[in-house]
Amino acid sequence: MALILFLVVLANFFFYPRDGIWTSSVESFAPAEIVKNKYWSEAPVQVMNTFMTNGAYVVGAKGLSFTDRLKRSFGNERVDTSQGPLDVRDSLSEKEIQTLYNLRQELSYRSDFPCPHDDSLVCSIGVGWNRDRTKEPDMRMLILRIGDLDYLVWDDSLLNLEGGK
Amino acid sequence: MELSFLGLAVLSACFLTSVFVASNKSEIVSFGLMSFISVASFSTVASLLIGPVALQITAIALSLVIFIAGLLYRLLSKTWPSAKLIFFGFSLAAGSFALDALTRAFGLASSAFTDGQTIVALSQGFQQGEFDPLTGSHAMKRGFGLPAMHALGPNLEYFAGLMPVFFCAALWMTWQLSISVTKNRFQAASVFLVIGLLSLSTEAVARHAYLVNTHAIAWLIFAIGLNYLVLASKRRLESSEIFGLIVMSAAIGFLRIDYIILFAPLTLGIALALANYRKILSWLFIVAQGLSAGIWTSVGVRDFPIFGDLGPIFLLLASALVGGIVLWIHNQFKFRFETLGKIFFTWLAAGILVFVFISADFSEALSDLFTNLFLGEGLWGATIMFLLIVVAYTYIFTQQQTSQTLRVILNVFLLSLSAYLASKYLDGSSTGKGLPNLIRVGFGDSFNRTLVSWIPFLVFPLARFFEKLPLKR
């Protein structure tokens, strides 16, 4: 029994998904600040499980540390792994990139994860969406690279914001 | 560093008061925390009626009143708690301060969760007096007791160190339950070692150390209630224990309305045990839930789904009626708490579970449940699989007879589980959007998170598993 228990504990720590027990280094315990700036962190898959329907599509999922989990949640056919995250750093203006950073700061749930472009580095990712589209069936979620170590997951209404780019 | 001084002072007062009224460490923990829920809730009700300044004044005043009442009780009875219990009470208070300081020093907080953010936002509304009552069933699910406790945080912050206090208390009471259920300390330690290691290594459980939600509190309440149920099966409960039960019952009513449903089988079992010798106390035990629920819904809920503005009064009268019916059944049919161990209740619970799963989106619910519990998306790791194997082994391969008390515990568990899922089903059905989606993939699924509430029940199969262990030398 002791050995089996030990193996279960090991499996819990090293084999199964772990998304973090808590948020650390929180900047404020004031609820208004927490809600406004989304100070509490959460793993991207958990956010998508909670707020997207099973019919959602995910675009740009190649090479992510959590691609397999996305497929388990949404199905292989709904997770596009033909391409990695869409790199918008050169295709958007500085102002547009800043808009994306603002969206990430204020409207997305953030966490750290191994960088898709170099898994020895730690990148920051935020998952957010147009709140008018919460739980909309067949919503397309785009995974974007917006900075050297910064990623954003947002629904495709972003394409309308960017004038169709 | 600014600590949650008001909340900590009130919590400490509750712990120290419980030293006066309790006769052992378990009662200090349970009475202390359950009374804290009530004090915070009463203070918040006062602030909603009078104004935000009443929150602090009422909290401090109530703490002093109960402290002085406890002190008077000891003075009049001319008996004093032992030095050990006094030291324990002070340790709990000091431990709460330490947890709050640690939380603030490292900036520890919940993983992101909208319910949690709603709860702390509600608490800030209570502090500012800018609270807009939530409506109907939504408000009753959101509850009152937890945001009320967080409203005792400083300067429009929530009570940062509160959730780890409840988490640690839940583990502690589970240890106490292990002692009550097993034959010796070695077996108790073995049972608790399994539960403790699994709790800390399983993220779905460990997250509740800081998750701003009531599930760790529900875990604590089940541990307290089951401990009392086991004790009641062996001997007559003492006055301090019965008093602690009534305080726990009031806390249930303050926390969430659907907790009255979740804990209904436990409530019934305890009420029947009490009815064996103190009928009025059995009745009061049930009424306490309706009274506290009626108090907070009268100010905290708009558009009560049953009888509108008369809804809170309905809750109180319904609890009084239910209490009376329980006593009548107890008298007429000799319905004792042991009767809850009958096979009929097992089939009843199983029937409700089957009905709910068939009526809901059956295949998707089971598939999502499997993904959560066995494929890791619910953050349970290998724990559920391990526990299912242990429980199955315990009941298939061990030769011990199942005692009447164990059958009662099993049925309380099954009835509680089926009552919870039935209430979820009814809530889902009320939206009118086709078959209710009972379960969804991910930690955020409410059933996935609620599972921690039933952790104390694991003590029983694990105790059975370790029953053959030698006595400690």
Side-chain angles (χ1 to χ4, degrees):
Chain A
M1 169 62 137
L3 176 64
I4 295 170
L5 181 62
F6 177 68
L7 290 173
V8 168
V9 170
L10 278 184
N12 285 346
F13 275 117
F14 299 112
F15 179 72
Y16 283 91
R18 289 189 76 84
D19 293 329
I21 293 173
W22 53 49
T23 307
S24 58
S25 304
V26 164
E27 293 180 31
S28 173
F29 290 101
E33 294 298 309
I34 291 165
V35 172
K36 182 184 166 211
N37 295 304
K38 300 281 181 287
Y39 281 143
W40 292 353
S41 72
E42 179 58 287
V45 180
Q46 293 297 345
V47 178
M48 293 167 81
N49 283 337
T50 303
F51 294 107
M52 315 299 146
T53 65
N54 289 349
Y57 291 92
V58 185
V59 176
K62 183 180 176 184
L64 300 177
S65 57
F66 51 88
T67 301
D68 289 341
R69 292 181 64 189
L70 287 175
K71 287 181 179 177
R72 223 163 24 226
S73 295
F74 299 101
N76 290 341
E77 67 284 0
R78 291 179 176 274
V79 179
D80 166 38
T81 52
S82 64
Q83 55 183 330
L86 313 172
D87 194 334
V88 298
R89 288 176 297 170
D90 294 329
S91 54
L92 297 180
S93 69
E94 233 179 83
K95 192 176 168 192
E96 286 163 336
I97 294 285
Q98 188 55 48
T99 301
L100 295 181
Y101 271 101
N102 291 344
L103 285 176
R104 199 176 76 149
Q105 173 66 17
E106 291 175 16
L107 291 174
S108 81
Y109 295 98
R110 297 180 296 282
S111 62
D112 294 334
F113 77 127
C115 295
H117 58 274
D118 181 352
D119 58 15
S120 66
L121 299 174
V122 175
C123 280
S124 168
I125 189 167
V127 179
W129 66 99
N130 180 342
R131 291 330 194 243
D132 292 337
R133 302 184 71 191
T134 302
K135 293 228 181 263
E136 188 179 287
D138 302 333
M139 191 154 63
R140 264 195 327 158
M141 300 300 293
L142 310 176
I143 302 179
L144 310 173
R145 185 177 182 183
I146 62 173
D148 290 345
L149 299 175
D150 299 302
Y151 288 77
L152 176 68
V153 182
W154 203 269
D155 68 87
D156 60 3
S157 66
L158 207 57
L159 298 174
N160 298 331
L161 283 177
E162 306 308 320
K165 286 182 192 169
Chain B
M1 180 202 305
E2 181 166 36
L3 299 184
S4 312
F5 281 115
L6 175 63
L8 287 166
V10 173
L11 183 58
S12 300
C14 290
F15 280 136
L16 295 176
T17 303
S18 62
V19 172
F20 293 133
V21 302
S23 55
N24 56 56
K25 289 179 186 173
S26 298
E27 287 176 39
I28 293 175
V29 171
S30 65
F31 182 82
L33 286 170
M34 294 299 111
S35 60
F36 179 66
I37 294 172
S38 292
V39 169
S41 300
F42 270 119
S43 305
T44 302
V45 167
S47 75
L48 293 177
L49 290 171
I50 300 168
V53 67
L55 177 67
Q56 293 182 2
I57 295 171
T58 310
I60 293 168
L62 271 178
S63 309
L64 280 173
V65 162
I66 65 170
F67 182 81
I68 292 168
L71 186 60
L72 279 174
Y73 168 73
R74 281 293 173 175
L75 281 169
L76 291 170
S77 65
K78 293 181 186 158
T79 59
W80 291 100
S82 66
K84 217 158 125 180
L85 289 184
I86 295 173
F87 177 74
F88 185 70
F90 275 103
S91 300
L92 289 176
S96 305
F97 271 86
L99 280 171
D100 196 66
L102 218 74
T103 300
R104 288 175 176 277
F106 291 102
L108 301 177
S110 171
S111 53
F113 188 60
T114 46
D115 277 13
Q117 291 184 95
T118 303
I119 288 166
V120 295
L122 269 176
S123 74
Q124 188 171 33
F126 290 157
Q127 289 173 337
Q128 290 175 305
E130 290 172 3
F131 169 70
D132 196 19
L134 297 172
T135 51
S137 61
H138 186 62
M140 298 198 299
K141 277 191 301 187
R142 198 60 69 236
F144 189 79
L146 186 54
M149 287 188 279
H150 279 297
L152 298 180
N155 295 334
L156 300 180
E157 294 182 349
Y158 69 94
F159 191 160
L162 179 67
M163 298 319 303
V165 169
F166 275 108
F167 184 79
C168 293
L171 280 168
W172 162 262
M173 280 311 304
T174 306
W175 159 239
Q176 295 302 308
L177 182 61
S178 305
I179 295 172
S180 297
V181 172
T182 53
K183 293 188 173 120
N184 57 67
R185 280 293 170 123
F186 191 68
Q187 289 177 16
S190 303
V191 168
F192 184 69
L193 189 67
V194 173
I195 293 178
L197 281 175
L198 290 177
S199 296
L200 296 176
S201 68
T202 308
E203 233 180 43
V205 180
R207 274 191 166 202
H208 286 84
Y210 277 96
L211 198 73
V212 177
N213 216 255
T214 51
H215 303 307
I217 305 175
W219 171 2
L220 172 64
I221 290 174
F222 266 128
I224 294 170
L226 289 173
N227 200 29
Y228 280 126
L229 206 55
V230 168
L231 291 175
S233 72
K234 296 177 187 170
R235 60 165 173 80
R236 191 182 169 100
L237 293 179
E238 294 174 18
S239 302
S240 62
E241 291 167 329
I242 297 171
F243 184 54
L245 277 171
I246 294 175
V247 172
M248 181 189 83
S249 186
I252 290 172
F254 273 126
L255 281 170
R256 285 164 61 157
I257 295 294
D258 56 349
Y259 272 14
I260 294 176
I261 300 171
L262 175 73
F263 291 111
L266 182 71
T267 300
L268 180 63
I270 292 172
L272 289 169
L274 290 176
N276 281 341
Y277 47 93
R278 301 289 282 274
K279 291 189 176 5
I280 185 66
L281 291 174
S282 170
W283 184 77
L284 279 173
F285 174 68
I286 294 177
V287 168
Q289 283 182 36
L291 179 63
S292 53
I295 287 171
W296 78 260
T297 53
S298 64
V299 296
V301 175
R302 195 172 47 214
D303 299 332
F304 202 89
I306 309 169
F307 300 123
D309 289 344
L310 295 178
I313 298 174
F314 164 78
L315 281 173
L316 174 60
L317 293 176
S319 66
L321 183 64
V322 165
I325 291 172
V326 166
L327 289 177
W328 181 78
I329 292 174
H330 181 272
N331 279 341
Q332 288 293 117
F333 301 102
K334 303 279 187 280
F335 194 110
R336 305 291 181 262
F337 94 91
E338 296 90 357
T339 320
L340 279 175
K342 298 281 186 211
I343 195 74
F344 162 75
F345 291 101
T346 314
W347 284 112
L348 174 65
I352 294 171
L353 281 170
V354 167
F355 171 78
V356 164
F357 269 99
I358 288 176
S359 303
D361 201 343
F362 181 63
S363 59
E364 191 161 341
L366 283 184
S367 166
D368 291 349
L369 186 63
F370 184 84
T371 303
N372 279 347
L373 300 186
F374 301 106
L375 299 184
E377 285 308 317
L379 304 180
W380 286 96
T383 296
I384 299 292
M385 195 158 25
F386 169 76
L387 288 171
L388 285 176
I389 292 170
V390 167
V391 171
Y393 173 88
T394 300
Y395 286 100
I396 295 170
F397 294 105
T398 59
Q399 296 298 317
Q400 298 101 303
Q401 272 206 314
T402 304
S403 70
Q404 189 63 268
T405 305
L406 274 184
R407 285 201 201 101
V408 169
I409 301 296
L410 174 67
N411 283 342
V412 166
F413 165 69
L414 290 173
L415 286 167
S416 164
L417 181 66
S418 58
Y420 169 78
L421 285 172
S423 71
K424 241 180 92 92
Y425 170 78
L426 288 172
D427 184 43
S429 301
S430 67
T431 63
K433 293 177 186 169
L435 290 176
N437 190 6
L438 210 55
I439 289 163
R440 61 168 193 258
V441 171
F443 176 75
D445 171 62
S446 68
F447 179 62
N448 187 76
R449 287 177 287 110
T450 306
L451 282 173
V452 299
S453 309
W454 289 295
I455 284 176
F457 288 92
L458 291 173
V459 168
F460 298 90
L462 287 171
R464 188 179 165 116
F465 181 89
F466 287 112
E467 208 167 346
K468 298 294 186 198
L469 283 181
L471 291 169
K472 186 179 175 185
R473 294 190 176 78

